[in-house]
Amino acid sequence: MKKKIVTILMTGVICASLAACGSDSGTTVLEQTEEPAAEEQASEEAEDVQTEETDTQLSGKVVVYMPSPSGLNEKYVEAFEESTGVEVELFEGTTGEILARLEAEKENPVADVVVLASWSDGLSLKETGALQSYAPENVDKLYSDWVDDDSMLFGTSASAVGVIYNTTLIDNLDADWTELLDEQYRDMIAIPDPEKSGSCKDFLAGYMYANDEDWSLWEGLADLGMVVPGANKAALESVTTGEKAILLAGVDYNAYSSMADGEPLALYYPESGTVINPRPAMILNTSSNLENAQAFVDFLLSDTAQQLVADAYLLPGRTDIACSNRTNVSDIPTFDLDWNWMLEHSDDIAANLNALCE
């Protein structure tokens, strides 16, 4: 009996011990499982935060080639450098000068971002395989046809061309293109050099596309003594000084800026139409500062940069930003255009115009 009681007691002690061990073991394992998991999760979250911070911390430089206006470019650079800490190395020139520089540097590329004053020249760069795709911030706010199908060209700003005239020589002018074929305008008309001005080249190509390649206007104007003083700046200067009275295919933002400075100029867009030329911003596929290049294109579509565009008398690329100092996109009559056709024919058209005026 005593032996049986001892056995029962020992069995109870063993069971209790096992229960206690099971309880302690369970608690210990749970603590070991939960605590490392929590620590690991916290560590991963810290790494994620650190990664995000690293992604937004840019440094180094970005090399940008852009056409005028210089004042706008300076403000671009100042605002971008201040917001990112990235140094901008800027080259300014006409579209022709920028393209020539890119060609000269083909074997040893330098530029990261290129902006041109000609959409067709941007398409030409794309055809050579020089560009890479990107999806910049606010791209959904651009005019739909100011972005190419492959997201390589972004019309972050634009200009239109019109007729600019000197108001000390002509009181009022609103003639359509063909109405300028009048003897009263003999030796009074100038046009920018389309082989130096991307805007003028695209305008001529657009005009020829919209008018079934009819050269009669330009042949007639050449017979009336139309001259080609040079690129946009030189051509406008010839009218501002009164050397000529009328500038055809003059870039509108230059005229608005000069008018604001008190120059005796006026501008209008002929009723049969003109060309609004998006100025494409592009990232070269040879960029050695890719993150900075992408950040610069993002910046060009930011609220800050788009307002700078509007203040410079250019047309903002974003549909949600309007100008108060010039005619907006919706109020400019335009030709129906085929940019691919224009790209194919624009160089020949430009050369032919210059040959007519020699």
Side-chain angles (χ1 to χ4, degrees), residues 8-24:
I8 293 171
L9 288 172
M10 290 181 66
T11 301
V13 168
I14 291 170
C15 290
S17 298
L18 288 172
C21 288
S23 176
D24 288 346

Side-chain angles (χ1 to χ4, degrees), residues 66-73 92-95 115-118 157-162 164 197-200 231-233 236 249-261 265 267 269 277 279 308-316 323 325-327 332:
M66 287 194 291
S68 59
S70 294
L72 172 61
N73 294 341
E92 290 183 309
T94 65
T95 291
V115 181
L116 299 176
S118 165
S157 65
S159 63
V161 299
I164 302 166
S197 164
S199 298
C200 184
N232 294 319
K233 184 177 180 180
L236 181 61
V251 180
D252 59 0
Y253 73 84
N254 283 337
Y256 285 117
S257 179
S258 295
M259 290 158 60
D261 290 338
L265 299 174
L267 163 74
Y269 306 99
N277 199 335
R279 296 157 60 96
L308 290 175
V309 167
D311 293 343
Y313 303 101
L314 281 162
L315 294 164
C323 298
N325 55 3
R326 57 153 297 150
T327 305
I332 299 174

Side-chain angles (χ1 to χ4, degrees), residues 104-151:
E105 296 171 347
K106 186 187 300 184
E107 299 303 319
N108 296 288
V110 176
D112 298 302
V113 176
V114 172
V115 181
L116 299 176
S118 165
W119 188 258
S120 66
D121 281 325
L123 291 175
S124 182
L125 270 184
K126 177 183 174 180
E127 280 196 346
T128 68
L131 309 179
Q132 60 179 280
S133 296
Y134 181 54
E137 296 177 8
N138 293 314
V139 68
D140 58 316
K141 297 177 182 178
L142 287 177
Y143 290 96
S144 59
D145 53 351
W146 294 17
V147 183
D148 73 305
D149 293 338
D150 299 305
S151 295

Side-chain angles (χ1 to χ4, degrees), residues 64-189:
V64 180
Y65 294 177
M66 287 194 291
S68 59
S70 294
L72 172 61
N73 294 341
E74 292 170 1
K75 291 174 181 177
Y76 275 159
V77 169
E78 181 181 358
F80 179 73
E81 290 183 340
E82 183 177 347
S83 64
T84 64
V86 174
E87 178 187 359
V88 178
E89 293 186 4
L90 175 67
F91 169 74
E92 290 183 309
T94 65
T95 291
E97 290 169 343
I98 292 172
L99 292 174
R101 188 177 179 110
L102 290 175
E103 179 64 24
E105 296 171 347
K106 186 187 300 184
E107 299 303 319
N108 296 288
V110 176
D112 298 302
V113 176
V114 172
V115 181
L116 299 176
S118 165
W119 188 258
S120 66
D121 281 325
L123 291 175
S124 182
L125 270 184
K126 177 183 174 180
E127 280 196 346
T128 68
L131 309 179
Q132 60 179 280
S133 296
Y134 181 54
E137 296 177 8
N138 293 314
V139 68
D140 58 316
K141 297 177 182 178
L142 287 177
Y143 290 96
S144 59
D145 53 351
W146 294 17
V147 183
D148 73 305
D149 293 338
D150 299 305
S151 295
M152 294 182 177
L153 284 74
F154 309 101
T156 60
S157 65
S159 63
V161 299
V163 176
I164 302 166
Y165 61 95
N166 187 311
T167 56
T168 65
L169 301 175
I170 299 176
D171 290 336
N172 185 58
L173 184 65
D174 61 0
D176 206 351
W177 298 111
T178 55
E179 293 173 343
L180 291 164
L181 286 174
D182 192 303
E183 187 63 30
Q184 67 177 313
Y185 303 126
R186 176 171 292 279
D187 297 327
M188 298 176 70
I189 298 176

